[in-house]
Amino acid sequence: MSGARRIGEFRLISLINHILKTISKILPTRLKKKISDLIYPSQSTYLHDRSILDSVVSAQEIMIACTKYNWPAFFLKLDFAKAFDTIDWSFLLKVLQARSFGDRWYGWIQSLLIFGFSYVLVNEQPEAPSRCKRGLR
């Protein structure tokens, strides 16, 4: 990136081998069949017929009501982009076990996490690869 001075200003490029790339394309299709069993009805995203904007509209209506009726309230806004960038992989794998994902599925996810590398291009040339330890893309 032109003018970048800190590593956080660079865009990382994740490279994985062909087999892992294929697995990463197959897994969402297989998960789609079971996702409704994993997502609570109150969650407004991750399902085909739901939108994250539903939550935004609901939150706005609640905030307006709290202001109008002078109800005490506490609101917390999370930056989900950063949340996905910093998720700890060991936690993710523990969640898969707790939600009774099979050993095969667990192994596929673990492989996707472990065998991906990130490169920073400097003057259009990749620097030495770095092994990622956190985050999801």
Side-chain angles (χ1 to χ4, degrees):
M1 296 178 121
S2 179
R5 298 190 193 299
R6 298 179 318 192
I7 193 71
E9 295 172 341
F10 287 92
R11 184 177 307 145
L12 295 178
I13 300 170
S14 182
L15 301 174
I16 58 177
N17 67 34
H18 178 72
I19 294 170
L20 293 178
K21 188 73 166 179
T22 303
I23 290 171
S24 72
K25 297 293 183 184
I26 293 171
L27 290 180
T29 305
R30 295 187 72 179
L31 183 61
K32 190 184 260 189
K33 298 172 187 172
K34 295 288 186 183
I35 193 78
S36 61
D37 298 335
L38 301 170
I39 303 296
Y40 290 106
S42 60
Q43 287 182 282
S44 62
T45 193
Y46 304 112
L47 295 177
H48 180 67
D49 60 341
R50 297 186 193 173
S51 170
I52 197 165
L53 294 177
D54 295 341
S55 293
V56 173
V57 171
S58 296
Q60 286 177 331
E61 290 176 1
I62 292 168
M63 290 169 70
I64 289 169
C66 289
T67 303
K68 181 178 179 179
Y69 297 108
N70 203 23
W71 295 336
F74 176 79
F75 296 94
L76 175 67
K77 178 187 174 285
L78 300 176
D79 185 346
F80 288 107
K82 289 185 181 178
F84 280 109
D85 290 344
T86 59
I87 192 165
D88 185 83
W89 292 350
S90 62
F91 172 77
L92 174 64
L93 294 172
K94 287 177 185 174
V95 169
L96 291 177
Q97 287 178 326
R99 297 299 295 221
S100 302
F101 279 79
D103 291 338
R104 179 187 260 171
W105 186 276
Y106 181 92
W108 287 336
I109 297 296
Q110 189 176 33
S111 295
L112 288 171
L113 297 174
I114 291 172
F115 295 116
F117 292 93
S118 290
Y119 293 81
V120 175
L121 297 178
V122 178
N123 297 327
E124 299 183 15
Q125 297 297 318
E127 291 293 310
S130 337
R131 198 172 282 280
C132 301
K133 296 180 181 162
R134 312 184 118 198
L136 299 174
R137 291 278 179 210

